Structure formats: C-alpha cells, structure tokens
Amino acid sequence: MTAPYLGVETVDNSITTRFAPSPTGLLHRGHAASAMAAWRLARAAGGRFILRIEDIDSTRCRPEFESAILADLAWLGLDWDGPVWRQSERTPVYRAALDRLIEMGLAYPCFCTRADIAAAASAPHGPEGPVYPGTCRSLDAATRACRLAAEPAAWRLDVAAALARSGPLRWHDATQGWQRVAVAEGDFVIARRDIGTAYALAVVVDDAAQGVTDVVRGQDLFTATHGQRLLQALLGLPTPRYHHHPLLLGADGRRLAKRDAGETLAALRAKGVTPAEILAST
Ligand code: GLU
C-alpha cells in the first residue's frame, strides 16, 4: 500500500479526501471545520484521509507554521494516512507537467508585472481581480526566446486554445451541482516567475498522484476549480468530486483569516477551549 513518495499511490479504498493547508500562518476555526469535514467524509466511508503541506510559496511559508499545523491537527484528534507530502519536495514533477503543456503549445511565457497588468487600460475585472489582458500571448517566437534568455518569466495557460483542445468540460460540486467550465480569470498562471510553479498546477498534479477522489475545501476556491478541471483534462488526470463549504465568519461578519489572531486554534487552546468545543462549533 505504501507507494513511492514521488509517484502515484496505490489506493484500495473507494474514497480519499485530503486537507491541504499552506503553512503561511496559524490554523483557525475555519481550517478545523474544513479538515474535520474532509476527515469525516473519508472515515465514514472507511476511506483514506491524507495531509498535504502546500508550501510551494517559499516567500511566505515557514517551517514553524508547518509544525503548528501538525500539532493543531493532533490536538483536534484528526489522524491521517500515509506520509505527509510536501509540495516543496515535488518541484520536478510540477516542472514536467508544465513542460507537457508547453509542448502541447498551450502555455506561454509572460513577462508582465502585476503593475503592468493593473495598468492595462482595458483590463476587465473577474471575481479574483484583473483578468489578464493577454499581452504576452501574441509575442512572436523570436521575441519570446530572446526575452526568456534575458529575464525571468511566469507561464500562463492559453485558456481559449486549451478549451478548443479539450472541448466542453464540467465538474461536480456536492451542494451546487454540475458546473460547466468557464474560466473567468482568463489566461491564469501555471508557473510563477519566482517559484517556478503555481497553486493550480501543483494541486491538480498532487490530487491525481495521491488518488484524491473527493476535494473538501472552502467556497473561496470554487472559482479556481474551473481552471483546475481544465488542467486535469489537458494532462489526462482524473477529476475528483468537489465539496466546497461556506467559510466561517468572525464576530464582525467577515470571513476568518490567518491574521485573526484571536480565532487561531493556538489562541483558543490557550484560552482553555477544548477540541470537542471546536468540533461542535464547526
Ligand atoms: N493550500 C490551499 C490553502 O491553504 C488550499 C488548497 C486546496 O484545498 O485546494 O488555501
């Protein structure tokens, strides 16, 4: 049952769920709710629950937050199957997936800075901010090669070309039903210039490599699922079932964030709140 760490795990059980936190801060009650929901879904079916540390962003992730995540989950009484995967150890796997998309002619280097994109007069706004106006999509091969040799680049998926190749796609959300793929954010980044990969690519590669059948996560990632479904189709990877849950709100009505120090599991624990009380409130 144990599989090569960088390869595909052999999965016997019908359901595999995961909790995939980024160690950029302390977990709060919302994370506990999400992890608990994924854990319950797996355990109720006699399936597997795995833990994956999404630490590709070396500019923001810290080892002490990873230790705190492990301690918080243990305190909550959640157990997981198999080794903990760390995305920072899988860079070559993500690079191979990127290379495949480049070879398919569906990815292009992008030299624009955030400021360039924000300044593009016609940039329309999607749910997650400005839609990339496509500036670098039309660079000719010679300019691309020349600039690639001289400056760092991000890589973007050419969404129109990708959808033309994949044909219409859909994915299923447990509460909102079937969704037709529509990528509102435009040509999204599949490799950041600073870290060489990006969340969207790493997450689809790893969900497939770990045999994840059911993705339980917050509603904030609902929109991103469209692009992930498209990447799955292009890379020939299976599509999990999705369970996006509402985000927990703080006393001020705003969604909980890692900066809400009073709501972190560590702070609640220090105040004497018990795991049972946290789990009952999730
Ligand atoms: N690593 C992401 C986060 O902490 C979650 C990714 C996912 O569940 O797909 O927000």
Side-chain angles (χ1 to χ4, degrees):
M1 178 80 189
T2 315
Y5 182 59
L6 292 177
V8 174
E9 286 202 5
T10 314
V11 178
D12 305 319
N13 310 84
S14 53
I15 284 210
T16 297
T17 67
R18 46 63 160 191
F19 181 51
S22 302
T24 55
L26 295 171
L27 298 186
H28 54 58
R29 274 191 309 117
H31 295 110
S34 197
M36 191 63 199
W39 183 87
R40 278 194 189 121
L41 186 66
R43 294 292 180 243
R48 304 168 73 239
F49 171 69
I50 58 174
L51 175 61
R52 183 169 73 229
I53 301 293
E54 300 210 322
D55 58 351
I56 49 171
D57 186 349
S58 48
T59 64
R60 294 172 60 225
C61 294
R62 300 269 175 278
E64 58 270 28
F65 291 133
E66 181 186 324
S67 316
I69 288 169
L70 299 181
D72 283 342
L73 294 178
W75 177 70
L76 286 171
L78 302 191
D79 59 341
W80 53 87
D81 299 301
V84 177
W85 282 30
R86 271 176 210 86
Q87 290 192 323
S88 57
E89 295 168 3
R90 291 175 46 78
T91 317
V93 186
Y94 310 137
R95 180 69 222 188
L98 172 64
D99 286 342
R100 206 153 143 212
L101 296 167
I102 295 171
E103 277 157 27
M104 291 164 87
L106 300 176
Y108 61 87
C110 173
F111 306 94
C112 298
T113 61
R114 251 174 232 256
D116 292 335
I117 297 167
S122 60
H125 275 60
E128 310 295 335
V131 174
Y132 181 63
T135 321
C136 290
R137 192 192 309 127
S138 51
L139 293 181
D140 60 65
T143 310
R144 251 179 211 168
C146 185
R147 290 190 68 174
L148 267 177
E151 48 186 306
W155 288 84
R156 289 181 181 273
L157 188 72
D158 183 337
V159 169
L163 280 169
R165 157 100 52 142
S166 71
L169 297 170
R170 51 185 206 152
W171 54 276
H172 190 263
D173 179 75
T175 41
Q176 300 186 55
W178 284 104
Q179 307 294 318
R180 236 188 254 248
V181 166
V183 184
E185 66 204 294
D187 290 355
F188 58 94
V189 172
I190 50 176
R192 281 170 39 174
R193 83 181 63 203
D194 54 348
I195 57 176
T197 185
Y199 159 66
L201 189 60
V203 82
V204 299
V205 166
D206 285 353
D207 282 340
Q210 295 190 284
V212 172
T213 59
D214 291 78
V215 169
V216 178
R217 62 186 179 192
Q219 180 66 24
D220 52 332
L221 291 168
F222 190 94
T223 313
T225 309
H226 292 286
Q228 293 173 23
R229 174 68 186 93
L230 178 55
L231 289 173
Q232 287 155 2
L234 300 173
L235 295 169
L237 303 175
T239 300
R241 293 177 287 261
Y242 289 90
H243 307 249
H244 290 98
H245 55 74
L247 300 177
L248 286 193
L249 302 179
D252 58 1
R254 288 170 52 221
R255 65 187 240 207
L256 291 182
K258 284 174 176 158
R259 62 178 176 275
D260 293 319
E263 293 282 6
T264 64
L265 297 179
L268 295 168
R269 182 159 70 229
K271 274 199 282 189
V273 177
T274 65
E277 285 166 328
I278 305 267
L279 298 177
S281 72
T282 62

